[in-house]
Amino acid sequence: MAENKILSINNLKKTFGEHEVLSDISLDVTAGEVLTIIGPSGSGKSTLLRCINLLEQPTAGEIIYNDANVLAPGYDITKYRAKVGMVFQSFNLFNNLNVLDNCTVGQQTVLGRSKEEAEKIALENLAKVGMDPYIKAKPRQLSGGQMQRVAIARAVSMDPDILLFDEPTSALDPEMVDDVLDSMKALAHTGLTMILVTHEMGFAKDVSDKVIFMDQGYVAEIGTPEQIFNHPTEARTQEFLKRYL
Ligand code: ADP
Ligand code: MG
């Protein structure tokens, strides 16, 4: 493959007890690509993202990052985790810390940056999402959309190679959604590799390089946004997308 593959998932499987949630997932991610995962509730989208950043331990399969299998014994998963960021539906900010400290604490503890350097980087990234006027605010003083933009600035401040988003706008009031999507779109244009789960089909069509339709723990269909949204070949994809017309 001529393209610069940053991540390959090969035959990934995840079971919880008897319940097989991911049956056989294989996919490739090229550096700089925006990959969107769509699919019904319960199809395993969150579990896949959580396996990719090792919040869950996969049951079988490979995660190849820059040509090394992250799941192999002896692999330095601490470094890998620092390179793969995640933005959650529920923001997951530190409620006792103000906006600026939320964006600097990981940089200092995980990356070993000085407070000054971490603050400089945090301020740049907060400005990009329009949250620099709020550096002294505590999360509870912010709207959901503002909290999510802080969470994005925090994740980006860690210099991830890959940023995962799990339904980042699903918990937001409708009027907040566009600000967050705009921040994500701007990020996509910086060349950051992004894997996102979303129900915002218009957004997905607009920003994605590749779209995956997941169903019952399998990749049911994969293609360009044009293929998946305009000419889906699988009946399950067609059925699912009808709900969004
Ligand atoms: P999606 O994000 O597509 O809605 P999830 O990955 O959250 O799907 O969940 C897929 C299935 O895995 C669901 O049936 C869910 O109940 C199950 N599941 C997810 N996490 C756990 C867990 N920690 N323990 C047991 N079952 C889980
Ligand atoms: Mg989910």
Side-chain angles (χ1 to χ4, degrees):
M1 198 171 161
E3 286 174 318
N4 181 16
K5 231 196 271 177
I6 190 168
L7 193 75
S8 291
I9 310 291
N10 297 326
N11 307 110
L12 200 77
K13 199 186 258 281
K14 176 65 185 175
T15 56
F16 292 107
E18 300 284 282
H19 187 183
E20 189 171 270
V21 173
L22 299 179
S23 297
D24 184 10
I25 301 284
S26 295
L27 59 94
D28 290 330
V29 185
T30 303
E33 182 169 70
V34 178
L35 170 72
T36 298
I37 302 169
I38 61 172
S41 178
S43 58
K45 305 180 298 298
S46 294
T47 303
L48 175 57
L49 289 191
R50 293 169 62 81
C51 282
I52 290 174
N53 76 350
L54 302 181
L55 280 174
E56 298 285 358
Q57 179 67 29
T59 309
E62 292 180 330
I63 299 176
I64 311 289
Y65 168 68
N66 288 334
D67 300 323
N69 184 8
V70 169
L71 302 177
Y75 186 90
D76 183 358
I77 61 170
T78 310
K79 251 190 203 152
Y80 171 75
R81 279 215 179 99
K83 280 299 177 191
V84 182
M86 179 111 148
V87 173
F88 299 88
Q89 182 177 336
S90 52
F91 328 125
N92 293 17
L93 295 178
F94 304 111
N95 289 319
N96 57 326
L97 298 182
N98 70 30
V99 163
L100 185 61
D101 292 344
N102 259 283
C103 295
T104 58
V105 62
Q107 294 188 65
Q108 292 174 258
T109 57
V110 178
L111 303 182
R113 287 180 182 154
S114 69
K115 189 173 167 64
E116 292 68 34
E117 189 186 10
E119 288 188 347
K120 181 173 169 283
I121 291 167
L123 279 169
E124 284 169 11
N125 289 314
L126 284 164
K128 285 182 196 160
V129 298
M131 287 303 292
D132 50 322
Y134 297 89
I135 53 173
K136 294 292 177 204
K138 291 282 181 64
R140 71 181 128 73
Q141 298 170 296
L142 304 176
S143 70
Q146 291 174 325
M147 282 194 270
Q148 195 58 298
R149 285 183 283 148
V150 172
I152 290 170
R154 176 177 67 175
V156 173
S157 295
M158 297 296 286
D159 286 339
D161 273 354
I162 303 172
L163 197 48
L164 313 175
F165 295 81
D166 193 358
E167 300 198 28
T169 60
S170 294
L172 303 180
D173 292 330
E175 70 270 24
M176 310 282 172
V177 168
D178 282 345
D179 284 342
V180 171
L181 294 181
D182 286 346
S183 296
M184 292 170 62
K185 193 189 276 190
L187 260 184
H189 289 147
T190 67
L192 180 65
T193 307
M194 294 168 44
I195 305 177
L196 54 112
V197 173
T198 186
H199 294 285
E200 295 289 338
M201 298 304 166
F203 175 75
K205 198 169 169 181
D206 188 21
V207 305
S208 307
D209 296 296
K210 199 156 75 191
V211 179
I212 283 176
F213 174 68
M214 262 183 81
D215 192 32
Q216 299 186 357
Y218 288 94
V219 175
E221 187 163 357
I222 181 165
T224 63
E226 159 73 11
Q227 285 165 340
I228 298 293
F229 292 114
N230 296 357
H231 309 285
T233 57
E234 292 284 325
R236 287 178 290 177
T237 317
Q238 292 165 3
E239 198 57 37
F240 174 77
L241 287 172
K242 266 190 204 159
R243 290 177 230 167
Y244 295 92
L245 289 177

